[in-house]
Amino acid sequence: MRTAARTVAATAAALLLPSLLTGCVVDGGWLGGPAAPTTSTEAPATTATAASTPAPEPPATWPVNVPVQPGDCDPQAPDALLVTFVVTAQDPSAPIEISYPGFTPSVSGEPRTITTTGPVVTILGNDCGPGVAAEPWTFTATGEVGYALSCAVFFNGFPLRADSDYVEGPARAASVDCTGRPGM
């Protein structure tokens, strides 16, 4: 009897936890999958759309992928020590200044800075440098992004750092710092 009660409780928690953590309600079939098809004899309702409403930008332009620079270690190499840096912003048109490390065979974590727009920016690198990094890799982002700015850095699939900033009240630049390195 105890095992059955635990199984029911674990199943209920697994189904409800995503809704509770995100504030969203799962809409669909079993475990959030597609809902079972329904049959209806009614014609679908049509609504008039305003001709002046602009179409949203296609998601195919997101994320912004920062290209690997000439001389950098190849992040797609079979033995790559993949470093992934992600920045997200609420405003897709606001410029974001990002400082990140570049990885070459002679330098592990060469400082670089770019300015780009979001809402999602990804940077991939391969730490093929001369050995273990002695200093932290600088990963920062700053911008007048409207409301929220976040960053996260991963090393070979393991999360290293994450940070978020949001602007409430008077306008100011949001700033996040995911500086770190493996073993730090």
Side-chain angles (χ1 to χ4, degrees), residues 17 37 39-40 55 69 74 77 81 99 105 140 145 148-149 158 172 178:
L17 190 58
T39 57
S40 174
Q69 301 299 311
D74 181 6
L81 296 173
S99 296
T140 60
V145 294
L149 183 67
F158 295 102
R172 67 170 174 79
C178 287

Side-chain angles (χ1 to χ4, degrees), residues 64-70 72-73 75 83-87 96-104 107-116 121-126 136-142 151-153 176-180:
V64 175
N65 295 311
V66 177
V68 175
Q69 301 299 311
D72 280 0
C73 304
V83 180
T84 308
F85 183 50
V86 180
V87 175
I96 305 167
E97 183 177 288
I98 300 172
S99 296
Y100 69 99
F103 299 100
T104 66
V107 179
S108 180
E110 174 186 15
R112 296 186 179 158
T113 301
I114 60 164
T115 300
T116 188
V121 180
T122 59
I123 302 170
L124 298 178
N126 172 6
W137 298 326
T138 300
F139 291 108
T140 60
T142 303
C151 68
V153 61
V176 291
D177 187 350
C178 287
T179 298

